[in-house]
Amino acid sequence: MSKQFTVWHHDQIGSTNDEARRLALEGAPHGTVVHADEQTAGRGRLSHTWFSPPGNLYLSIVLRTGQPASRSSELSFLAALAVADTVETLLPRQIRAMLKWPNDVLVNGAKIAGILLEQVDDAIIMGIGLNVLEAPSNTAYKTTTVVANAGIATVDGARDILLDRLAYHLSSWHTDGFPPIREQWLNRSYPVGAAIRANAGGQPVAGHFAGLDDDGALLLDTNQGRQRIVAGEVLPG
Ligand code: BTN
């Protein structure tokens, strides 16, 4: 595992993001990782709860990148790439991970992982949940696991691969900036022109995927022209 990470393991915790936040406020250094076997108060995006029984990977990383806060949103795409690499390492060769804006990782159209980025003072907490053995069945979207796709993984093995891929993409981000990350993300997402619907807080907006703006905002071509969506989600189906 990459030397830039120090892992603090818990059998059970409320939320690894909350614990990482607490450590960050105490001054925990870049690369501090909180890993738990189970969460009792796992949190997802848009105030959803995150299904967190034993058998899956739950971790949160304290990042102090030294970059301006305006670049923080780029980390969400970088995290999605690291998770997609991990999933593809664990699954049979022919199965690909697909990315859905802003940072969902899908396998065969079903969500296999979630990413939650939070700012704490000058640190970013990057929380990642990866369904290894268990997936919730009561969600509005389809879900899946590594094992359901004939993948082979221990949770700790998945964690080590993920941290290695994260170290790799962080290093490339520092050296080459966002454009190559954006390019790799686009290669694993919808083709430009695909019909999608996006929820940006109000009514869902239908349109055609027009790629990502330089800062990672979703570009959607609608009947009213091109829209730039900075927060929200692309709806399933
Ligand atoms: C999403 O809604 O897609 C994001 C889910 C993020 C879940 C992870 S699990 C580890 C970390 N701790 C949390 O409470 N949430 C994140």
Side-chain angles (χ1 to χ4, degrees), residues 7-235:
V7 178
W8 298 98
H9 177 265
H10 298 256
D11 295 341
Q12 189 192 66
I13 205 164
S15 155
T16 56
N17 260 42
D18 291 346
E19 176 63 3
R21 160 183 286 269
R22 194 186 68 74
L23 294 174
L25 289 171
E26 281 182 354
H30 173 86
T32 301
V33 178
V34 179
H35 171 205
D37 293 339
E38 180 182 5
Q39 297 185 116
T40 55
R43 298 189 284 106
R45 295 177 63 240
L46 309 173
S47 306
H48 294 144
T49 57
W50 186 254
F51 176 73
S52 306
N56 294 337
L57 176 62
Y58 313 106
L59 58 72
S60 301
I61 306 144
V62 178
L63 297 174
R64 298 188 189 278
T65 65
Q67 298 296 317
S70 56
R71 293 196 63 197
S72 299
S73 60
E74 300 173 9
L75 293 170
S76 129
F77 299 92
L78 186 160
L81 285 182
V83 173
D85 289 352
T86 304
V87 165
E88 289 184 355
T89 305
L90 300 173
L91 295 188
R93 188 177 291 264
Q94 71 279 9
I95 303 184
R96 314 308 299 175
M98 190 245 172
L99 301 177
K100 180 165 81 69
W101 190 87
N103 55 27
D104 281 342
V105 181
L106 309 178
V107 171
N108 291 322
K111 180 158 163 163
I112 197 166
I115 295 163
L116 180 66
L117 288 174
E118 296 178 321
Q119 177 104 34
V120 178
D121 290 345
D122 57 350
I124 298 286
I125 308 300
M126 179 184 283
I128 299 174
L130 171 62
N131 298 340
V132 177
L133 265 184
E134 306 282 347
S137 52
N138 58 347
T139 47
Y141 48 84
K142 285 195 270 177
T143 59
T144 192
T145 67
V146 170
V147 165
N149 287 280
I152 300 169
T154 61
V155 172
D156 287 1
R159 177 198 66 199
D160 292 349
I161 295 169
L162 176 60
L163 292 177
D164 276 347
R165 296 314 296 161
L166 205 53
Y168 169 83
H169 288 294
L170 274 169
S171 153
S172 117
W173 183 67
H174 278 290
T175 315
D176 301 320
F178 186 50
I181 303 281
R182 179 178 169 278
E183 208 51 44
Q184 291 174 72
W185 189 94
L186 282 168
N187 286 338
R188 288 163 119 160
S189 188
Y190 303 97
V192 165
I196 58 169
R197 283 181 313 131
N199 194 342
Q203 285 289 336
V205 192
H208 292 95
F209 183 54
L212 293 182
D213 215 345
D214 290 345
D215 60 353
L218 174 74
L219 298 175
L220 188 67
D221 284 340
T222 72
N223 292 340
Q224 273 81 47
R226 181 160 292 184
Q227 288 197 21
R228 219 183 90 85
I229 300 176
V230 291
E233 60 184 342
V234 168
L235 297 169

